[in-house]
Amino acid sequence: MKSMILSLALAALILPQDVLAEGAAPYLVTREEVTDWKAVYGRIEAKDSIPARARLGGTLIDLTAKEGDLVQAGQPLGKVVDEKIGFQINAIDAQLTSLAAQLANAQSELKRGQELKARGVLTTQQLDALQTQVDVYMGQIEAQKASRRVIEQQATEGEVLAPISGRVLTVPVAKGAVVMAGETVATIGGGGFFLRLSVPERHATAMAEGDEISIETAAGPKTGRLAKVYPLIETGRVTADVEVADLDSAFVDARVLVRLPLATREAIRIPAALVSTRSGLDFVTVEKDGAREIRTVVPGDHVTVEGTDMVEIVTGLMGGETVVAADEH
């Protein structure tokens, strides 16, 4: 084992120049604060999820809503018909016809009574009774007309309307089904869309509203903002909402990879061009007081900073050292 390590060390000292980084400027090693990110999955959800309910019990004779459709507030989604309403209207019409005939007869009686009163044959009390009878029939007619308007209004409420503008999420019924008043015909998601996260409770104290969130989508990386952290922890997880501009809402409840900033720490990063690899080991050239030393390092994650590929050095370098390309003199 010792002979293998010695061989590797000797190989590092005689590395050919074309294997090491070329053309890279000297870099002063400094410690900088970096953020540790936690990868979790979030679900795309609608801010408002409101059911479109039937206002009338009956048979669903028409259903235009389909899952995934975009609808506007007040747009008809289906129609419910109660056949009893037609019978009720016919019954009221018959009563109105009967009352109209009785009213016509009462008005004739009143007219004759007025003529008789003028000749002194009929008393004022008898004339008032005839007038009262006319008024009663007129009141009954108005009451029946009001009842008819109520039933007509019930008939118009057979249309199922979208409560908000948004996307149809679910349609739990089918055309021809019998529905009750208040039963859900479709569920509409609207009011904008956001990401809902479920994070282990050990990370709850590391999250703060307003934190910048990194999101991986099919269209590329996006940046969001942690809008709300809910105080209730359920089954060991805390719920949080992330606002994202232009979030793709084609699939509600779709899972999206999210990276949360959970902690900060000090780290050393240098340009990746100053690191060379040979025999499975990574090397950098450190310059100190005009002398150079080839040193073995352990690299970490890569990150792009202002267009430069930077690599984190886990061990092998300290702050204040200068790393140069191996071909510099």
Side-chain angles (χ1 to χ4, degrees):
M1 184 66 180
K2 292 183 178 180
S3 60
M4 183 181 295
I5 296 175
L6 182 59
S7 300
L8 291 174
L10 291 175
L13 294 175
I14 58 173
L15 284 174
Q17 298 297 325
D18 57 352
V19 175
L20 299 175
E22 296 180 358
Y27 185 83
L28 178 62
V29 177
T30 58
R31 289 188 172 273
E32 57 184 283
E33 191 176 80
V34 298
T35 302
D36 284 333
W37 299 83
K38 169 70 174 179
V40 297
Y41 278 97
R43 297 192 323 273
I44 298 175
E45 294 189 4
K47 289 185 177 179
D48 300 317
S49 184
I50 303 179
R53 301 183 184 275
R55 296 174 291 173
L56 180 70
T59 303
L60 188 64
I61 64 169
D62 188 24
L63 182 63
T64 58
K66 299 188 298 295
E67 287 89 346
D69 288 351
L70 292 174
V71 296
Q72 298 297 319
Q75 177 179 330
L77 305 179
K79 186 174 183 179
V80 178
V81 171
D82 185 357
E83 296 179 355
K84 298 189 298 295
I85 288 180
F87 299 141
Q88 291 173 348
I89 291 177
N90 292 337
I92 290 177
D93 288 342
Q95 291 177 356
L96 286 172
T97 302
S98 175
L99 289 171
Q102 294 179 38
L103 175 62
N105 182 64
Q107 287 175 335
S108 298
E109 292 290 338
L110 177 62
K111 185 177 180 180
R112 285 193 295 269
Q114 289 172 342
E115 293 174 354
L116 292 174
K117 175 68 169 58
R119 289 183 292 179
V121 176
L122 197 70
T123 65
T124 302
Q125 183 179 5
Q126 292 173 324
L127 182 63
D128 290 343
L130 293 174
Q131 180 65 53
T132 300
Q133 189 66 26
V134 171
D135 293 341
V136 168
Y137 285 134
M138 292 181 65
Q140 290 178 349
I141 289 174
E142 290 300 321
Q144 291 297 326
K145 287 182 177 179
S147 298
R148 193 180 197 280
R149 288 194 292 270
V150 170
I151 296 176
E152 289 174 344
Q153 177 62 31
Q154 289 179 349
T156 62
E157 290 178 352
E159 277 194 326
V160 181
L161 307 178
I164 58 172
S165 298
R167 188 179 298 275
V168 179
L169 303 182
T170 61
V171 181
V173 296
K175 182 178 178 180
V178 176
V179 297
M180 304 297 292
E183 187 172 345
T184 299
V185 174
T187 303
I188 312 300
F193 292 84
F194 63 96
L195 282 177
R196 174 154 289 177
L197 311 179
S198 182
V199 184
E201 63 178 311
R202 65 179 180 275
H203 301 307
T205 56
M207 297 188 301
E209 295 182 5
D211 285 349
E212 188 175 275
I213 307 299
S214 176
I215 303 163
E216 300 292 336
T217 67
K222 287 182 177 290
T223 300
R225 184 182 66 85
L226 194 60
K228 186 175 183 62
V229 179
Y230 291 90
L232 179 63
I233 295 179
E234 296 181 301
T235 63
R237 306 186 74 86
V238 62
T239 303
D241 292 341
V242 179
E243 289 183 348
V244 186
D246 302 324
L247 184 63
D248 184 9
S249 60
F251 297 99
V252 180
D253 266 354
R255 295 177 61 186
V256 179
L257 181 63
V258 179
R259 301 186 185 277
L260 296 174
L262 296 181
T264 58
R265 58 183 174 82
E266 287 190 344
I268 290 176
R269 287 175 176 168
I270 65 172
L274 295 176
V275 181
S276 57
T277 303
R278 184 177 177 85
S279 300
L281 297 177
D282 297 288
F283 302 94
V284 296
T285 302
V286 179
E287 186 176 67
K288 183 178 181 181
D289 299 331
R292 295 189 177 186
E293 174 189 356
I294 297 178
R295 189 179 300 172
T296 306
V297 295
V298 177
D301 295 332
H302 285 252
V303 63
T304 301
V305 179
E306 297 181 356
T308 302
D309 183 17
M310 305 290 287
V311 60
E312 181 180 346
I313 302 300
V314 180
T315 61
L317 285 177
M318 295 184 299
E321 297 180 321
T322 302
V323 179
V324 298
D327 59 342
E328 292 187 5
H329 300 286

